[in-house]
Amino acid sequence: MNGFSDRRFAAASPQAASEGLADGFASQVKNWAEGAVCPADMDCLARIARELALAACDGHVCLPLDALSNVSVADAKRILLESGMAAEMGASCRALPATAFPLVIDQGRLYLRAFFDLESSLFRALTTLAVPLPVDAAALDAARATLGTAFPPREGVDWQKAAAALALTRRLTIISGGPGTGKTTTVAALIGCLLELEPELRIGLAAPTGKAAARLREALGERTRHLRESVRVRLPAEAYTLHRLLGASATPGRFRHHAGNPLALDLVVVDEASMLDLALAARLFDALPPQARLVLLGDKDQLSAVEAGAVFGELSSGWRFGADESARLAKLADAPEKVLLQGAGSEAALPDSVVWLQESYRFRDDSGIGRLARNINAGDGAAALGWMRAHADPEVEWIEDETGSSSSDAPLSAAVLAAMEKGYAAYFSAFRDIRADEPTDARFNRLFDAFGRFRVLVAVHQGRHGLMAVNAHLEQHARTEVGSGAASGAFWAGRPVIVLKNDPVTRLFNGDIGLCLPWQDGALMAVFPASGGGVRAIPPHRLPEHDTAFALTVHKSQGSEFSEVLLLLPSQTVRVLSRELLYTGVTRAARRVSIAGSAAVFEAGCATRSVRFSGLGEKLRNRNGGSG
């Protein structure tokens, strides 16, 4: 976690690790204050520090003072300031060294100093970037002409065209849309238009994970086939993880590219931006050169990042165009100006910079997956359960599993186990069909395609319904199915692995998925898709921190798409289960989704919204006069 860490808790459960980190931080703050001989209530100070640390572990950037337990706002502020551990931000404090205080009070919110500095940096970058580009009349006419070629005429507002038009004329564009709403199609058209207008434009494609980056490049390749050859040859050949784009170093949080050594790019496109945490977002904005455009693509309804912050959700929670921008977009996109002026959602944190795409081309209006996603987002779990139980749509299956409703140690039902094993039957069959004369690249591609058709997604790590137990069961079943016995050790032919830690040395990054396969000389290798095509074979002993990948947490599945998904609910209602988690899990499926669990747990998840404390959105809205 940013701000403090302790390797002693690395192998513990997430909850135990959080508790251990919070206890250690509270003790450290108390020791610092006692060493300074401060008059504050040390026990209360330690409790406040512990609550803040737990909030950070839960993904909050800050903690409102009025959310603290058993202490008033006035007393909390007095104790924090008397202790010498916190500064209240104001004109007199902003010039203090960053190391002067470990804690910061700002506008009724308590921060770890590192988080406050990151949020402040991102706020400043956003206010600088969210501005129109200087475009003269001739350039606007040229942009309108290229947009007219890229998008066929249609009635009303073509929001994809409006989004592309916005990105042609502004430095920052944020495009939010659910699965199949055309985010990548929009960016493909935008890039084609920009290259027509600016042939020497330098473009960078990125995403938080390797899988998402690969999907972005593949999708753009498919959607730009219609472009002229002279334009297509200037398309970026590769999409990178953000860590790789920024030049991750062996030191966590340090990158080669920053304000002093910015990216040599004119346009940066980031897909799956809902996965951006505060620290990574701040580093990205810091590394942008002054002239560059930035386009963020994501889904405001998806889960936020695992680390602290919900940057994309805050920035895209509402949209609104002012009169000047509406007039300009209406001309560029041939759209009714009065529709553009309406806006949607809550107050806009970034007026004139956000567009929502709402028409899904993947899921029909009567699609089961689309309907389920809408029910979840509306918090209507009872309605979703009703039609799932009635087997109303072949795209969606409900598997009743009440076995764990009274205990996290209760085993999964036979129906759930059978569904998990059946889901991987095609992969096991493909593996058994390996031919000795089959080229190794072709072998990997065939097996990787079979493996990628299905995935088990879970919400938690621990318990019989958690990641560790599900992977253990599927690994035992897989060894039998593919003929890899227990004697083969931790690495066995057919084992899928997911990388859990960025490793610049092997060029493997958090979220990369590969397969353990017999390779060219018969030796077992961990094989991964290579950027730009092809494959990479890594000796198993050189892999960075990793895990078996038959089951993934919903968080780890972000940026991925599978033909079929089995979403396994926890045995009991837990803090992490929310409508955002359910929505994200369900929408990883392109063709069919099954949900296994108890009705009570599903309905509780639909009723729970994920909330993350932060000051970024409010500060941006205040800067805009609070009107959005």
Side-chain angles (χ1 to χ4, degrees):
M1 182 179 64
N2 292 308
F4 51 92
S5 62
D6 193 326
R7 292 186 179 180
R8 291 175 298 167
F9 306 107
S13 69
Q15 182 175 351
S18 298
E19 296 279 346
L21 285 167
D23 289 341
F25 182 69
S27 177
Q28 186 65 57
V29 167
K30 185 177 178 181
N31 289 340
W32 284 335
E34 287 175 340
V37 195
C38 297
D41 181 335
M42 292 294 106
D43 289 335
C44 187
L45 175 66
R47 289 196 300 272
I48 292 171
R50 187 177 189 279
E51 285 193 49
L52 177 61
L54 286 173
C57 287
D58 284 341
H60 299 290
V61 173
C62 58
L63 186 61
L65 291 174
D66 59 11
L68 290 167
S69 305
N70 304 314
V71 61
S72 69
V73 171
D75 284 345
K77 185 180 291 189
R78 175 182 55 79
I79 290 167
L80 286 162
L81 295 176
E82 286 181 355
S83 71
M85 292 296 100
E88 185 168 16
M89 295 309 295
S92 63
C93 295
R94 294 196 183 277
L96 289 173
T99 56
F101 300 96
L103 308 177
V104 173
I105 301 170
D106 183 55
Q107 301 180 47
R109 293 178 287 263
L110 180 62
Y111 292 81
L112 292 168
R113 182 71 189 226
F115 284 175
F116 178 80
D117 290 341
L118 288 168
E119 185 179 278
S120 299
S121 172
L122 184 56
F123 171 77
R124 291 190 295 270
L126 284 163
T127 57
T128 300
L129 200 65
V131 295
L133 291 165
V135 184
D136 59 27
L140 284 174
D141 288 341
R144 183 182 184 188
T146 59
L147 285 166
T149 302
F151 294 92
R154 58 176 292 179
E155 293 293 324
V157 177
D158 182 341
W159 288 108
Q160 292 183 12
K161 188 175 183 179
L166 190 68
L168 284 175
T169 58
R170 297 188 72 86
R171 288 196 61 205
L172 174 65
T173 304
I174 298 172
I175 303 173
S176 176
T181 53
K183 297 186 293 293
T184 311
T185 300
T186 301
V187 168
L190 166 66
I191 290 174
C193 289
L194 281 170
L195 286 174
E196 290 281 2
L197 297 168
E198 304 176 44
E200 301 306 315
L201 196 76
R202 299 168 300 174
I203 302 170
L205 306 177
T209 68
K211 181 67 174 178
R215 283 190 59 212
L216 172 62
R217 182 64 193 92
E218 180 182 345
L220 280 176
E222 293 172 353
R223 288 163 176 78
T224 53
R225 289 175 181 168
H226 66 283
L227 297 178
R228 293 186 300 113
E229 182 62 21
S230 60
V231 173
R232 293 192 75 245
V233 296
R234 295 196 295 273
L235 294 170
E238 189 173 355
Y240 301 90
T241 64
L242 275 168
H243 282 83
R244 200 173 155 213
L245 180 78
L246 295 174
S249 70
T251 304
R254 296 288 182 89
F255 297 95
R256 185 172 67 256
H257 292 292
H258 45 75
N261 180 33
L263 295 161
L265 296 170
D266 304 303
L267 169 67
V268 177
V269 176
V270 180
D271 198 12
E272 297 293 345
S274 62
M275 300 166 66
L276 276 175
D277 59 78
L278 174 65
L280 191 54
R283 302 305 183 218
L284 169 64
F285 277 75
D286 187 50
L288 290 173
Q291 82 287 352
R293 290 179 175 91
L294 175 64
V295 177
L296 300 180
L297 308 173
D299 185 344
K300 63 182 177 57
D301 296 317
Q302 277 193 30
L303 278 170
S304 301
V306 175
E307 300 294 337
V311 174
F312 188 85
E314 283 190 277
L315 300 183
S316 63
S317 62
W319 66 264
R320 188 171 302 280
F321 297 121
D324 291 345
E325 192 62 45
S326 295
R328 180 158 61 169
L329 282 182
K331 181 178 180 180
L332 283 173
D334 296 313
E337 188 174 340
K338 64 180 182 180
V339 178
L340 292 169
L341 277 167
Q342 291 176 359
S346 59
E347 289 184 345
L350 289 172
D352 298 336
S353 293
V354 179
V355 179
W356 288 1
L357 305 180
Q358 300 177 66
E359 182 180 354
S360 178
Y361 300 92
R362 180 187 305 171
F363 302 130
R364 309 177 313 275
D365 288 342
D366 60 347
S367 155
I369 296 175
R371 179 179 176 181
L372 178 58
R374 289 193 297 273
N375 281 154
I376 290 170
N377 271 340
D380 200 347
L385 273 171
W387 65 267
M388 283 195 293
R389 282 171 162 165
H391 308 288
D393 195 297
E395 289 185 5
V396 177
E397 178 186 23
W398 170 256
I399 304 175
E400 200 86 43
D401 182 20
E402 300 286 351
T403 58
S405 59
S406 60
S407 170
S408 62
D409 294 326
L412 291 168
S413 69
V416 176
L417 294 174
M420 292 193 303
E421 294 167 4
K422 180 182 177 183
Y424 285 112
Y427 171 60
F428 299 144
S429 176
F431 199 90
R432 289 192 297 268
D433 291 340
I434 287 178
R435 304 188 314 274
D437 61 344
E438 186 176 21
T440 50
D441 286 20
R443 176 189 303 172
F444 171 77
N445 290 331
R446 180 173 62 83
L447 292 171
F448 198 70
D449 179 66
F451 177 68
R453 294 173 197 166
F454 174 78
R455 198 69 84 246
V456 178
L457 303 182
V458 300
V460 295
H461 287 79
Q462 307 298 320
R464 298 288 185 93
H465 293 62
L467 182 74
M468 296 173 66
V470 173
N471 266 329
H473 172 82
L474 287 170
E475 179 169 340
Q476 182 180 25
H477 175 71
R479 284 178 182 260
T480 301
E481 288 292 310
V482 303
S484 293
S488 57
F491 292 100
W492 44 278
R495 181 193 178 195
V497 293
I498 180 169
V499 175
L500 302 178
K501 185 178 180 180
N502 296 325
D503 182 29
V505 175
T506 58
R507 290 181 289 116
L508 292 174
F509 296 90
N510 189 0
D512 287 352
I513 289 179
L515 301 175
C516 293
L517 299 175
W519 209 233
Q520 293 167 347
D521 58 356
L524 192 67
M525 302 289 277
V527 188
F528 294 81
S531 299
V535 299
R536 297 178 57 226
I538 308 293
H541 68 272
R542 291 189 58 205
L543 285 177
E545 186 179 346
H546 60 277
D547 198 1
T548 301
F550 283 115
L552 302 177
T553 62
V554 175
H555 269 106
K556 283 290 185 187
S557 75
Q558 286 183 267
S560 298
E561 178 183 296
F562 312 100
S563 294
E564 298 188 28
V565 161
L566 171 60
L567 177 59
L568 180 61
L569 304 182
S571 57
Q572 298 171 303
T573 300
V574 291
R575 186 172 51 189
V576 299
L577 187 66
S578 64
R579 70 180 64 169
E580 290 82 3
L581 184 141
L582 293 172
Y583 170 85
T584 302
V586 163
T587 55
R588 296 313 88 204
R591 189 168 63 85
R592 191 170 188 273
V593 63
S594 301
I595 302 180
S598 78
V601 169
F602 177 75
E603 289 193 61
C606 289
T608 303
R609 295 220 66 156
S610 176
V611 176
R612 287 198 171 178
F613 296 129
S614 165
L616 182 62
E618 183 180 329
K619 290 173 183 176
L620 288 167
R621 287 188 290 272
N622 288 342
R623 177 182 178 272
N624 299 323
S627 62

